[in-house]
Amino acid sequence: MTVEFDIKLTSRDMYRFNMYQIYSGVHGWVSVLAAILFWVMAGRNYGEVTMTYTILYIAFGFVFLLYLPITLYVRSKHSIAASEVLSDTLHYAVGETGFQVSQGEASAELKWEQIYRMVATKHNVLVYSNRVNAYVIPREQLGEAYVPLAELANAKLAKHRVKMRMC
């Protein structure tokens, strides 16, 4: 069985992937905890320190909370605009041997044995070739091909390497 589909990535798709990458790891949670810590310090020290310090604590909390999402948004816009590969349509053919991705004359193959992990989020299907790099496949563009893709992934990958529901 072969599943074929075309994908055109947008900056929103890249942003969602980057947010997933950051907030499913330690770095994102540390920034959230730092923001909460600054706000707790502002509340505990209110009245004991000058108003300037209280405002700085609150401001640093917002900086820690908003810095990553804003930076990732800008980086996503830039990466889509700067890359010809990401801004054009990609054709995927997924079969018994793995993923074949093509665009015009160029093509690449990722065998099932080379896939580090496959994850389906609310908005994307992520096919990781290692811990950091992934093919981003927007679920709204995948449409009807999601279920056959999930069936192939669950059949070809070890259980701990695939997190895709058959919905």
Side-chain angles (χ1 to χ4, degrees), residues 56-80:
L56 280 174
Y57 288 144
I58 292 170
F60 278 127
F62 279 110
V63 166
F64 271 90
L65 190 63
L66 298 176
Y67 174 76
L68 281 176
I70 291 170
T71 304
L72 293 176
Y73 179 77
V74 170
R75 188 181 305 159
S76 298
K77 283 252 188 224
H78 177 70
S79 66
I80 291 292

Side-chain angles (χ1 to χ4, degrees), residues 96-114:
E96 295 298 317
T97 59
F99 279 74
Q100 177 142 10
V101 184
S102 59
Q103 184 180 60
E105 299 293 318
S107 70
E109 187 170 357
L110 183 66
K111 298 190 183 302
W112 287 111
E113 300 83 37
Q114 296 172 312

Side-chain angles (χ1 to χ4, degrees), residues 31-103:
S31 69
V32 171
L33 291 174
I36 292 170
L37 179 66
F38 275 114
W39 291 334
V40 167
M41 288 174 44
R44 287 194 77 199
N45 293 329
Y46 181 75
E48 295 177 17
V49 295
T50 64
M51 186 57 82
T52 305
Y53 282 109
T54 303
I55 292 171
L56 280 174
Y57 288 144
I58 292 170
F60 278 127
F62 279 110
V63 166
F64 271 90
L65 190 63
L66 298 176
Y67 174 76
L68 281 176
I70 291 170
T71 304
L72 293 176
Y73 179 77
V74 170
R75 188 181 305 159
S76 298
K77 283 252 188 224
H78 177 70
S79 66
I80 291 292
S83 173
E84 280 185 41
V85 174
L86 294 178
S87 61
D88 288 340
T89 302
L90 297 167
H91 179 75
Y92 286 80
V94 184
E96 295 298 317
T97 59
F99 279 74
Q100 177 142 10
V101 184
S102 59
Q103 184 180 60

